[in-house]
Amino acid sequence: CALPILSIYFPFNQIKSLDKISKESEKWLEERKEEKIKLERALVGFNELLFAIPIFGSGFGKEFKTIQPWHYLFFEAEQDLNSAFLLSVSGLYKDSLRSLRSFLELYIFGIYNFVDEDEKRFQKWLQGKKGTPKMKAMMDTISEKNLYINNINNSLNWRNDVESLYSELSGFMHT
């Protein structure tokens, strides 16, 4: 290895080619059609949220006016999604799933802060003085405080999909 320190983390002589990993991942998904459909649905939903949040504003009847301090959560979430992809194609599936779970948590936490608009609580969280709310509590707040997201949930059962995906990803972390 040209960079000895990297060999501690990445034994290059043991890593499969990206082409082989990609084919194995594709085969795994083809053998699990239901999982592939769930993954495709989740990715479509997450991509649509990028557009939904600024359009819907921070609550019913309010306009999107300022950049709040919690908006950076969406950028951090996107980095975790990119990491999940790169880790996956590198064959590091558990790390990939951990990044995917982090993406989901950050995105939901960002939406939660967006609709709740409690900057003091967010600052306490940012300083490590307050924990992240449980997924169910965040989803409750999101549904209660934003009519548009509640309508999306009523028509698409979005909340159930998010909570199921979160539960499944959490299960991978504890195996």
Side-chain angles (χ1 to χ4, degrees), residues 21-92:
I21 292 169
S22 174
K23 286 178 183 173
E24 287 176 10
S25 298
E26 210 171 291
K27 180 182 172 190
W28 187 89
L29 282 172
E30 289 304 320
E31 291 171 357
R32 293 161 183 83
K33 295 281 187 192
E34 191 174 310
E35 298 301 318
K36 183 178 181 182
I37 291 168
K38 285 181 188 177
L39 182 60
E40 288 169 349
R41 283 183 66 203
L43 291 174
V44 167
F46 291 134
N47 287 332
E48 289 174 0
L49 282 175
L50 288 171
F51 299 102
I53 291 168
I55 293 168
F56 295 152
S58 54
F60 183 68
K62 295 184 181 178
E63 295 177 20
F64 182 75
K65 294 181 181 175
T66 60
I67 301 296
Q68 299 294 338
W70 49 80
H71 288 169
Y72 90 93
L73 293 170
F74 299 110
F75 300 112
E76 190 173 332
E78 188 175 353
Q79 289 174 345
D80 279 342
L81 184 60
N82 290 337
S83 294
F85 172 75
L86 292 172
L87 290 164
S88 176
V89 298
S90 298
L92 301 167

Side-chain angles (χ1 to χ4, degrees), residues 114-130:
F114 198 83
V115 301
D116 200 42
E117 294 187 305
D118 186 344
E119 191 171 339
K120 288 181 183 178
R121 189 198 63 248
F122 179 76
Q123 290 299 329
K124 286 181 181 177
W125 173 83
L126 200 56
Q127 296 165 2
K129 296 178 181 176
K130 190 147 183 86

Side-chain angles (χ1 to χ4, degrees), residues 116-167:
D116 200 42
E117 294 187 305
D118 186 344
E119 191 171 339
K120 288 181 183 178
R121 189 198 63 248
F122 179 76
Q123 290 299 329
K124 286 181 181 177
W125 173 83
L126 200 56
Q127 296 165 2
K129 296 178 181 176
K130 190 147 183 86
T132 305
K134 300 278 185 205
M135 181 62 72
K136 183 182 181 326
M138 289 192 290
M139 296 301 284
D140 287 344
T141 299
I142 290 167
S143 294
E144 291 167 8
K145 292 198 172 191
N146 192 292
L147 178 64
Y148 298 108
I149 291 176
N150 194 34
N151 288 340
I152 290 170
N153 181 52
N154 289 338
S155 62
L156 300 175
N157 202 17
W158 176 75
R159 179 180 180 155
N160 186 56
D161 289 345
V162 169
E163 289 176 348
S164 294
L165 178 60
Y166 182 77
S167 177

